[in-house]
Amino acid sequence: NAGVTQTPKFRVLKTGQSMTLLCAQDMNHEYMYWYRQDPGMGLRLIHYSVGEGTTAKGEVPDGYNVSRLKKQNFLLGLESAAPSQTSVYFCASRLGGHEQYFGPGTRLTVT
Amino acid sequence: AQSVTQPDIHITVSEGASLELRCNYSYGATPYLFWYVQSPGQGLQLLLKYFSGDTLVQGIKGFEAEFKRSQSSFNLRKPSVHWSDAAEYFCAVARSGNTGKLIFGQGTTLQVKP
């Protein structure tokens, strides 16, 4: 099993550009999450999904959209990137217990 | 509101010395508590978790943590630190309900001196 994978690993965007981050898991997990990690702030939840076809807002959803068309994939979109979205983005998944499994992260820089 | 506080942003210990990382939480019910470790440039790896039962939980890599309800704490300990333990450590609490959303502390960076 590959576990949780994220694509791409690194990306540099200009302000106003759009992009999609892909998270994939091969563990048949129901729940998936997108977090952002900023220095001194830990991880903050952006959006999450409790199952295929469902999404919900987390703590810091503004400027992001998500989709969960397939159970194994959870996409995070930035429609118009801003420098404040420079961060490291982590995806996580879980089955039914509370333990979450994390991907390796995507480092995004917006100039 | 639920919250997690890690009072120490940065800790330096000598290799072979003991370690304790502090974590305090604010939560109305019995919490689900976690410690994760993040090595530089890596994702988060679960060290240990507490759901119920014995308040002293054992984890991977020789770590343990003790849940103290009276102090709202879940401190992480290791008797003898190795240089490879240098990393960032996060305490987290799972929110109530079945969504499983985690609230993370700010993190503690551990530096190990030779």
Side-chain angles (χ1 to χ4, degrees):
Chain A
N1 285 352
V4 180
T5 58
Q6 293 184 231
T7 309
K9 288 184 169 49
F10 303 93
R11 185 73 186 268
V12 178
L13 287 180
K14 295 187 187 307
T15 298
Q17 288 184 321
S18 64
M19 78 163 294
T20 300
L21 282 67
L22 170 64
C23 175
Q25 51 94 4
D26 61 1
M27 299 175 284
N28 202 34
H29 285 177
E30 290 293 333
Y31 303 83
M32 297 186 74
Y33 308 83
W34 275 108
Y35 295 89
R36 60 177 289 172
Q37 182 182 27
D38 302 292
M41 304 189 75
L43 279 75
R44 292 179 293 167
L45 182 65
I46 304 171
H47 286 281
Y48 65 100
S49 168
V50 301
E52 181 179 316
T54 74
T55 62
K57 293 181 180 179
E59 299 173 69
V60 289
D62 294 343
Y64 304 96
N65 56 74
V66 288
S67 65
R68 183 102 181 265
L69 299 179
K70 293 182 179 180
K71 186 177 185 179
Q72 62 267 35
N73 295 338
F74 194 28
L75 279 63
L76 177 71
L78 286 73
E79 291 185 347
S80 179
S84 61
Q85 294 177 303
T86 293
S87 187
V88 181
Y89 292 86
F90 287 99
C91 176
S93 71
R94 74 178 181 102
L95 184 56
H98 286 275
E99 179 176 345
Q100 293 186 18
Y101 296 83
F102 284 81
T106 295
R107 185 174 296 275
L108 174 66
T109 301
V110 182
T111 61
Chain B
Q2 297 156 328
S3 64
V4 177
T5 302
Q6 294 178 244
D8 305 305
I9 295 173
H10 193 275
I11 283 184
T12 300
V13 300
S14 298
E15 190 168 16
S18 64
L19 171 70
E20 182 169 31
L21 301 182
R22 296 183 291 164
C23 173
N24 294 99
Y25 65 89
S26 170
Y27 190 73
T30 300
Y32 297 140
L33 294 159
F34 306 83
W35 274 100
Y36 284 88
V37 61
Q38 183 182 30
S39 297
Q42 303 296 313
L44 277 73
Q45 181 183 22
L46 181 68
L47 282 175
L48 46 79
K49 59 191 176 189
Y50 172 79
F51 288 176
S52 65
D54 193 346
T55 57
L56 185 63
V57 294
Q58 302 297 320
I60 62 171
K61 305 185 180 187
F63 285 92
E64 66 178 26
E66 186 171 13
F67 170 60
K68 293 185 177 180
R69 184 188 301 277
S70 62
Q71 299 177 18
S72 297
S73 68
F74 188 56
N75 293 350
L76 181 72
R77 300 194 293 250
K78 187 170 185 178
S80 178
V81 169
H82 187 263
W83 64 266
S84 60
D85 293 325
E88 191 161 18
Y89 292 80
F90 292 96
C91 181
V93 62
R95 284 190 157 182
S96 56
N98 198 35
T99 61
K101 294 185 286 185
L102 291 177
I103 300 172
F104 284 86
Q106 302 92 322
T108 297
T109 300
L110 173 65
Q111 183 179 358
V112 180
K113 292 190 301 185

